[in-house]
Amino acid sequence: MKNVLVIGSTGQIGSELTMKLRKQINGATVVAGYIPGAEPKGVLKESGPSEQADVCNAAQLAQIVDKYRIDTIYNLAAILSATAEKKPLLAWDIQMNGLINILEIAREKGCAVFTPSSIGAFGPTTPHKSTPQDTVQRPTSMYGVTKVAVELLSDYYFHKYGVDTRSVRFPGLISYTTPPGGGTTDYAVEVFYSAVKGEEFVCPIAQGTYMDMMYMPDALRAAIEIMESDPSKLVHRNSFNIASMSFEPETLFAAIRREIPDLRTRYEVDPVRQSIADSWPDNMDDSCARKEWGWKPSYDLDGMVKDMISHLKK
Ligand code: SER
């Protein structure tokens, strides 16, 4: 990994991944790809090149790959689960037509490709506890349908053309730099902002709903480590279960109250988000990732909560 294009560089994952790659990979050029209206600003803009990179514009992507001799593409353009239910065709366009554009360029020009999958790639008939790496994948959301197709298409390009595609199934990601938007797991980020501002938090997810979650530093490390891992050890590719913590809303609120005792919460369940959440795993089994490329999370619930609050207070 030397010359990298991050598509979606101003989003929740991209804004932090671009900066981490620029700091971590010696001598690398990391291009921040963006769409109009989401231009990089501040340190993201100043610390390296940026280019307009719309996944639906194959010619534009090919030009960037040529100009910077890109060898690795992080494809982080996505419409998250709750928004995808409102705009299913847009989600299909970005997630599927976007991916095929990227895979075709990768095939022609020899790039490796990381396109994240998600807990959303599972559905109501998947075993919810200790969800295995290889199991039933019949999601009922448009987001999930596209994520299963992303996994299959990425594996297809690897087996048929030898394109070096690899990825992980991200849990809900918790971070303080750039907020997510339109996801089912977003509540686990939003509650921190309410807690720090002293505002009441209205939770759209019901008590007792367990979902896998992960703190952003672990997620970024996973995205880099999988791409740097020894390919001869990979039995799987698209995509690996990775896990670090699983909780219901009440458990998260209790952990935040250990730091900010006056956090006020009430529930106003959003039926769309709730039905998506109910169809997802409670907790995934990530033993294949641990075995095949040495995945190991470093944050648990309390470690994440303390770190989140100390950064948001600043
Ligand atoms: N965080 C995503 C969502 O909630 C799932 O990967 O849509």
Side-chain angles (χ1 to χ4, degrees):
M1 184 152 44
K2 193 163 169 3
N3 297 323
V4 183
L5 169 61
V6 180
I7 297 174
S9 69
T10 58
Q12 189 199 12
I13 304 173
S15 58
E16 295 193 49
L17 183 67
T18 306
M19 292 307 300
K20 188 174 166 73
L21 288 166
R22 282 179 179 164
K23 284 187 193 133
Q24 193 167 313
I25 304 184
N26 268 343
T29 300
V30 182
V31 181
Y34 64 91
I35 49 168
E39 288 83 1
K41 295 191 183 81
V43 66
L44 185 60
K45 184 183 159 103
E46 285 143 24
S47 57
S50 47
E51 294 281 347
Q52 199 170 310
D54 180 345
V55 278
C56 296
N57 186 339
Q60 188 178 64
L61 299 178
Q63 256 177 14
I64 301 170
V65 168
D66 285 341
K67 178 172 169 188
Y68 295 92
R69 295 207 203 95
I70 296 295
D71 56 64
T72 305
I73 301 173
Y74 279 94
N75 168 24
L76 306 178
I79 303 293
L80 293 186
S81 57
T83 306
E85 288 311 292
K86 289 195 198 119
K87 299 177 180 169
L89 297 185
L90 177 67
W92 181 268
D93 200 29
I94 306 273
Q95 264 110 259
M96 299 319 309
N97 296 332
L99 177 64
I100 202 108
N101 286 338
I102 291 166
L103 290 172
E104 273 298 296
I105 291 165
R107 179 175 71 80
E108 280 169 25
K109 301 178 189 290
C111 309
V113 180
F114 175 93
T115 308
S117 187
S118 155
I119 49 175
F122 298 113
T125 50
T126 302
H128 276 32
K129 307 247 182 266
S130 241
T131 302
Q133 170 68 37
D134 301 309
T135 185
V136 180
Q137 289 186 269
R138 304 286 295 175
T140 44
S141 68
M142 180 49 115
Y143 182 73
V145 168
T146 62
K147 286 299 174 187
V148 174
V150 160
E151 293 187 7
L152 293 172
L153 196 60
S154 299
D155 269 347
Y156 179 83
Y157 267 72
F158 170 66
H159 290 297
K160 185 155 177 110
Y161 303 116
V163 177
D164 187 0
T165 55
R166 311 176 188 190
S167 104
V168 296
R169 294 177 180 136
F170 279 134
L173 298 182
I174 299 171
S175 64
Y176 55 82
T177 303
T178 309
T184 300
T185 57
D186 294 7
Y187 89 87
V189 178
E190 288 158 2
V191 62
F192 282 95
Y193 286 86
S194 300
V196 168
K197 288 188 200 150
E199 290 167 0
E200 181 186 51
F201 177 65
V202 182
C203 185
I205 299 295
Q207 223 168 328
T209 310
Y210 279 82
M211 285 185 275
D212 268 304
M213 301 279 178
M214 183 172 286
Y215 197 32
M216 188 60 87
D218 276 336
L220 299 178
R221 217 165 31 73
I224 296 174
E225 284 175 12
I226 177 78
M227 295 313 281
E228 290 187 326
S229 64
D230 175 355
S232 71
K233 303 226 162 71
L234 299 180
V235 179
H236 299 84
R237 278 181 167 262
N238 301 281
S239 292
F240 282 94
N241 286 1
I242 54 167
S244 63
M245 60 186 95
S246 163
F247 51 73
E248 56 154 334
E250 207 49 39
T251 313
L252 174 62
F253 303 161
I256 295 175
R257 285 195 188 101
R258 289 196 278 279
E259 306 295 316
I260 304 180
D262 53 3
L263 168 67
R264 287 169 297 128
T265 59
R266 81 184 151 82
Y267 291 89
E268 206 172 280
V269 172
D270 167 15
V272 173
R273 284 183 164 83
Q274 187 61 39
S275 87
I276 294 173
D278 286 337
S279 76
W280 287 356
D282 290 357
N283 63 292
M284 291 187 288
D285 173 357
D286 62 359
S287 49
C288 289
R290 288 174 187 258
K291 193 169 152 219
E292 292 174 38
W293 50 278
W295 158 248
K296 198 168 179 288
S298 45
Y299 283 90
D300 62 7
L301 175 61
D302 285 325
M304 176 274 286
V305 166
K306 281 198 173 76
D307 202 64
M308 272 295 279
I309 290 174
S310 79
H311 279 97
L312 284 178
K313 277 189 172 161
K314 284 182 208 155

